[in-house]
Coordinates of all heavy atoms in Angstrom, one line a residue:
D1 N -5.8 -18.0 3.3 CA -4.5 -17.7 2.6 C -4.1 -18.8 1.7 O -2.9 -19.3 1.7 CB -3.4 -17.3 3.6 CG -2.4 -16.4 3.1 OD1 -2.6 -15.7 2.1 OD2 -1.2 -16.5 3.6
A2 N -5.0 -19.4 0.9 CA -4.8 -20.6 0.2 C -3.8 -20.4 -0.9 O -3.6 -19.3 -1.5 CB -6.1 -21.1 -0.4
E3 N -3.1 -21.5 -1.3 CA -2.1 -21.5 -2.4 C -2.8 -21.6 -3.7 O -2.3 -21.2 -4.8 CB -1.1 -22.7 -2.2 CG -0.2 -22.5 -1.0 CD 0.7 -21.4 -1.1 OE1 1.2 -21.1 -2.2 OE2 0.9 -20.7 -0.1
I4 N -4.0 -22.2 -3.8 CA -4.8 -22.4 -5.0 C -6.1 -21.7 -4.8 O -6.8 -22.0 -3.7 CB -5.0 -23.9 -5.4 CG1 -3.6 -24.5 -5.7 CG2 -6.0 -24.0 -6.5 CD1 -3.7 -26.0 -6.0
L5 N -6.5 -20.9 -5.7 CA -7.8 -20.2 -5.6 C -8.6 -20.4 -6.9 O -8.1 -20.3 -8.0 CB -7.6 -18.7 -5.4 CG -6.9 -18.3 -4.1 CD1 -6.3 -16.9 -4.2 CD2 -7.9 -18.4 -2.9
I6 N -9.9 -20.9 -6.7 CA -10.7 -21.2 -7.8 C -12.0 -20.4 -7.6 O -12.7 -20.5 -6.6 CB -11.1 -22.7 -7.8 CG1 -9.8 -23.5 -7.9 CG2 -12.1 -23.1 -8.9 CD1 -10.0 -25.0 -7.8
F7 N -12.3 -19.6 -8.7 CA -13.5 -18.7 -8.6 C -14.4 -18.9 -9.8 O -13.9 -18.8 -11.0 CB -13.0 -17.3 -8.6 CG -12.2 -16.9 -7.4 CD1 -10.8 -16.7 -7.6 CD2 -12.7 -16.7 -6.2 CE1 -10.0 -16.4 -6.5 CE2 -11.9 -16.4 -5.1 CZ -10.6 -16.3 -5.2
D8 N -15.6 -19.3 -9.6 CA -16.6 -19.5 -10.6 C -17.6 -18.3 -10.6 O -18.4 -18.1 -9.7 CB -17.4 -20.8 -10.3 CG -18.4 -21.1 -11.4 OD1 -18.2 -20.6 -12.5 OD2 -19.3 -21.9 -11.1
E9 N -17.5 -17.4 -11.6 CA -18.3 -16.2 -11.7 C -18.2 -15.4 -10.4 O -19.3 -15.0 -9.9 CB -19.7 -16.6 -12.1 CG -19.9 -17.3 -13.4 CD -19.7 -16.3 -14.6 OE1 -19.6 -15.1 -14.4 OE2 -19.6 -16.9 -15.7
P10 N -17.0 -15.0 -9.9 CA -16.9 -14.4 -8.6 C -17.4 -12.9 -8.6 O -17.7 -12.4 -7.6 CB -15.4 -14.4 -8.3 CG -14.8 -14.4 -9.7 CD -15.7 -15.2 -10.6
F11 N -17.5 -12.3 -9.8 CA -17.8 -10.8 -9.9 C -19.3 -10.6 -10.0 O -19.7 -9.5 -9.8 CB -17.1 -10.2 -11.0 CG -15.6 -10.3 -11.0 CD1 -14.9 -11.2 -11.7 CD2 -14.9 -9.4 -10.1 CE1 -13.5 -11.3 -11.7 CE2 -13.5 -9.5 -10.0 CZ -12.8 -10.4 -10.8
R12 N -20.1 -11.6 -10.2 CA -21.5 -11.5 -10.4 C -22.1 -10.9 -9.1 O -22.0 -11.5 -8.0 CB -22.1 -12.8 -10.8 CG -23.6 -12.7 -11.1 CD -24.1 -14.0 -11.6 NE -23.6 -14.4 -12.9 CZ -23.6 -15.6 -13.4 NH1 -24.1 -16.6 -12.7 NH2 -23.1 -15.9 -14.6
G13 N -22.8 -9.8 -9.2 CA -23.5 -9.3 -8.0 C -22.7 -8.3 -7.2 O -23.2 -7.7 -6.3
L14 N -21.4 -8.1 -7.6 CA -20.6 -7.2 -6.8 C -20.7 -5.8 -7.4 O -20.8 -5.6 -8.6 CB -19.1 -7.7 -6.9 CG -18.8 -9.0 -6.2 CD1 -17.3 -9.3 -6.4 CD2 -19.1 -8.9 -4.7
D15 N -20.5 -4.8 -6.5 CA -20.5 -3.4 -7.0 C -19.1 -3.1 -7.6 O -18.2 -3.8 -7.4 CB -20.8 -2.5 -5.8 CG -19.8 -2.6 -4.7 OD1 -20.0 -3.5 -3.8 OD2 -18.7 -2.0 -4.7
A16 N -19.1 -2.0 -8.4 CA -17.9 -1.7 -9.1 C -16.7 -1.5 -8.2 O -15.5 -1.9 -8.6 CB -18.1 -0.4 -10.0
K17 N -16.9 -0.9 -7.0 CA -15.7 -0.7 -6.1 C -15.2 -2.0 -5.6 O -13.9 -2.2 -5.6 CB -16.2 0.1 -4.9 CG -15.1 0.5 -3.9 CD -15.7 1.3 -2.8 CE -14.6 1.6 -1.7 NZ -15.1 2.4 -0.6
T18 N -16.0 -3.0 -5.3 CA -15.5 -4.3 -4.8 C -14.9 -5.0 -6.0 O -13.9 -5.7 -5.8 CB -16.7 -5.1 -4.3 OG1 -17.3 -4.3 -3.2 CG2 -16.2 -6.4 -3.7
V19 N -15.4 -4.9 -7.2 CA -14.8 -5.6 -8.4 C -13.3 -5.1 -8.5 O -12.4 -5.8 -8.7 CB -15.6 -5.3 -9.6 CG1 -14.8 -5.7 -10.9 CG2 -16.9 -6.1 -9.6
D20 N -13.2 -3.7 -8.5 CA -11.8 -3.2 -8.6 C -10.9 -3.7 -7.5 O -9.7 -4.0 -7.7 CB -11.9 -1.6 -8.6 CG -12.5 -1.0 -9.8 OD1 -12.5 -1.8 -10.9 OD2 -12.9 0.1 -9.8
W21 N -11.4 -3.7 -6.3 CA -10.6 -4.2 -5.1 C -10.2 -5.6 -5.4 O -9.0 -6.0 -5.2 CB -11.3 -4.1 -3.8 CG -10.6 -4.6 -2.7 CD1 -9.7 -4.0 -1.9 CD2 -10.7 -6.0 -2.2 NE1 -9.2 -4.9 -0.9 CE2 -9.8 -6.1 -1.1 CE3 -11.4 -7.1 -2.6 CZ2 -9.6 -7.3 -0.4 CZ3 -11.2 -8.3 -1.9 CH2 -10.3 -8.4 -0.8
F22 N -11.1 -6.4 -5.8 CA -10.9 -7.9 -5.9 C -9.9 -8.2 -7.0 O -9.0 -9.0 -6.9 CB -12.2 -8.6 -6.1 CG -12.1 -10.1 -6.1 CD1 -11.4 -10.7 -5.2 CD2 -12.8 -10.8 -7.1 CE1 -11.3 -12.1 -5.1 CE2 -12.7 -12.2 -7.1 CZ -12.0 -12.9 -6.1
R23 N -10.0 -7.4 -8.1 CA -9.1 -7.6 -9.2 C -7.7 -7.3 -8.8 O -6.7 -8.1 -9.0 CB -9.5 -6.7 -10.4 CG -10.6 -7.2 -11.2 CD -11.0 -6.2 -12.3 NE -12.1 -6.6 -13.1 CZ -12.7 -5.7 -13.9 NH1 -12.3 -4.5 -14.1 NH2 -13.7 -6.2 -14.7
G24 N -7.5 -6.2 -8.0 CA -6.2 -5.8 -7.5 C -5.7 -6.8 -6.5 O -4.5 -7.1 -6.5
Y25 N -6.5 -7.3 -5.7 CA -6.1 -8.3 -4.7 C -5.6 -9.6 -5.3 O -4.6 -10.2 -4.9 CB -7.3 -8.6 -3.7 CG -6.9 -9.4 -2.5 CD1 -6.1 -8.7 -1.4 CD2 -7.2 -10.7 -2.3 CE1 -5.8 -9.4 -0.3 CE2 -6.8 -11.4 -1.2 CZ -6.1 -10.8 -0.2 OH -5.7 -11.5 0.9
L26 N -6.4 -10.1 -6.3 CA -6.0 -11.3 -7.0 C -4.6 -11.1 -7.8 O -3.8 -12.0 -7.8 CB -7.0 -11.7 -8.0 CG -8.3 -12.3 -7.4 CD1 -9.3 -12.8 -8.5 CD2 -8.1 -13.4 -6.4
T27 N -4.4 -9.9 -8.3 CA -3.1 -9.6 -9.0 C -2.0 -9.7 -8.0 O -0.9 -10.3 -8.3 CB -3.2 -8.2 -9.6 OG1 -4.2 -8.2 -10.6 CG2 -1.9 -7.9 -10.3
Q28 N -2.2 -9.2 -6.7 CA -1.2 -9.3 -5.7 C -0.9 -10.8 -5.3 O 0.2 -11.2 -5.2 CB -1.6 -8.6 -4.5 CG -1.7 -7.1 -4.6 CD -2.2 -6.4 -3.3 OE1 -2.0 -6.9 -2.2 NE2 -2.9 -5.3 -3.5
L29 N -2.0 -11.6 -5.2 CA -1.8 -13.0 -4.9 C -1.1 -13.7 -6.0 O -0.3 -14.6 -5.7 CB -3.2 -13.6 -4.6 CG -4.0 -13.1 -3.4 CD1 -5.3 -13.8 -3.3 CD2 -3.2 -13.4 -2.1
K30 N -1.4 -13.4 -7.2 CA -0.7 -14.1 -8.3 C 0.8 -13.7 -8.2 O 1.7 -14.6 -8.4 CB -1.3 -13.6 -9.7 CG -0.6 -14.2 -10.9 CD -1.3 -13.8 -12.2 CE -1.1 -12.3 -12.4 NZ -1.6 -12.0 -13.8
Q31 N 1.2 -12.5 -7.9 CA 2.6 -12.1 -7.8 C 3.3 -12.8 -6.7 O 4.5 -12.9 -6.6 CB 2.6 -10.6 -7.7 CG 2.2 -9.8 -8.9 CD 2.1 -8.3 -8.7 OE1 2.0 -7.9 -7.6 NE2 1.9 -7.6 -9.8

């Protein structure tokens, strides 16, 4: 539950469903 998140090419190798989940999750964390 870190305050700072650093991702280097995090979507590479992920399926489309996980990419959508991860984008939404990061948006929540930003908020």
Side-chain angles (χ1 to χ4, degrees):
D1 206 24
E3 294 295 322
I4 294 174
L5 294 162
I6 299 173
F7 299 106
D8 184 21
E9 298 290 347
F11 299 102
R12 184 177 293 163
L14 293 179
D15 58 273
K17 182 179 178 181
T18 305
V19 168
D20 288 342
W21 175 87
F22 188 43
R23 286 175 178 168
Y25 192 74
L26 289 185
T27 300
Q28 292 177 31
L29 293 179
K30 181 176 67 172
Q31 292 169 348

